Amino acid sequence: ATARPAGSLRVVGEDAHDFGELMQGAVVDHTFVLESAGDQPLIINSVKASCGCTVAVTERIGADGNTTPYAYGDEIAPGDQLRVTARLNTDGKKNRTQSTLTVISNDTAGQTVLRLSAQVQPFLELAPNAYINFGKLFSNETKTESLRISSQVADAFMLTLEQAQPRAATLMLDPAQAFLLQAVERGAKFHAIR
């Protein structure tokens, strides 16, 4: 079998994008443009995301500027372009978040890496961690644990405390105000309701 000639992939513009500061849960898109830059057709075999928080859609850009879906393995004529639209979902992320898309092609380099990043502000900050564990308690014992809850969001929100028993407590938290919650029961879970 004869080896296919290598294509050449060129990123038009930036190969990295920083979304800046985002609120946790934001879903944002960025489009990268790729070009078949050699004298042989380029073939994209796959575009792989580094984590489940990022997905990519790859489309051909026609001479008229309109796009059509690109099927991996199809030839891209020299001079033709593709766009890779990357969607980053910040749900469950906090602080500095980074993700990559690896474009596998017949380019001599074999792969091209596109990078996304953002500084994600969590909706709630829980300290020292998100769970209170009382461990094993006897019926005559009481143990107190603390959980510091704070938020930098602009609106107030309601916090509901679910307990293993049928009763529940509801707490109101003002914007950007730190709140200290002390629980003395077993099996507490916290949910934020915006």
Side-chain angles (χ1 to χ4, degrees):
T2 308
R4 287 183 122 169
S8 179
L9 186 151
R10 181 174 76 89
V11 178
V12 179
E14 60 183 16
D15 64 357
H17 181 74
D18 187 342
F19 289 104
E21 196 166 300
L22 300 173
M23 181 56 67
Q24 187 177 51
V27 178
V28 290
D29 294 336
H30 179 74
T31 299
F32 295 98
V33 177
L34 309 178
E35 182 176 275
S36 178
D39 56 3
Q40 298 295 321
L42 175 68
I43 298 171
I44 305 290
N45 297 312
S46 65
V47 177
K48 296 180 180 179
S50 60
C51 71
C53 66
T54 305
V55 294
V57 175
T58 307
E59 300 170 300
R60 287 182 182 268
I61 302 173
D64 59 1
N66 290 326
T67 60
T68 56
Y70 173 73
Y72 294 124
D74 284 356
E75 290 187 351
I76 305 155
D80 285 359
Q81 293 184 336
L82 295 175
R83 78 176 188 189
V84 177
T85 302
R87 174 164 285 175
L88 175 66
N89 184 341
T90 65
D91 192 35
K93 304 289 184 187
K94 67 179 182 177
N95 302 323
R96 192 76 186 152
T97 296
Q98 298 183 29
S99 179
T100 61
L101 294 171
T102 302
V103 181
I104 308 294
S105 71
N106 69 333
D107 182 276
T108 53
Q111 65 182 27
T112 301
V113 178
L114 307 172
R115 300 178 191 289
L116 299 171
S117 59
Q119 183 66 31
V120 181
Q121 287 292 332
F123 183 74
L124 288 179
E125 294 186 50
L126 307 172
N129 56 48
Y131 298 96
I132 293 177
N133 182 358
F134 291 100
K136 192 170 193 170
L137 294 176
F138 295 102
S139 60
N140 60 348
E141 284 184 291
T142 299
K143 185 176 181 184
T144 301
E145 293 289 337
S146 296
L147 175 66
R148 185 175 186 275
I149 302 171
S150 60
S151 179
Q152 299 299 317
V153 297
D155 340 62
F157 60 90
M158 186 179 353
L159 232 142
T160 302
L161 172 63
E162 284 185 5
Q163 298 178 359
Q165 298 164 2
R167 26 191 189 108
T170 300
L171 309 165
M172 291 301 291
L173 182 62
D174 290 328
Q177 175 186 354
F179 186 85
L180 180 66
L181 176 66
Q182 289 188 319
V184 291
E185 298 200 33
R186 184 178 255 198
K189 287 185 180 176
F190 301 90
H191 296 280
I193 302 170
R194 193 172 177 156

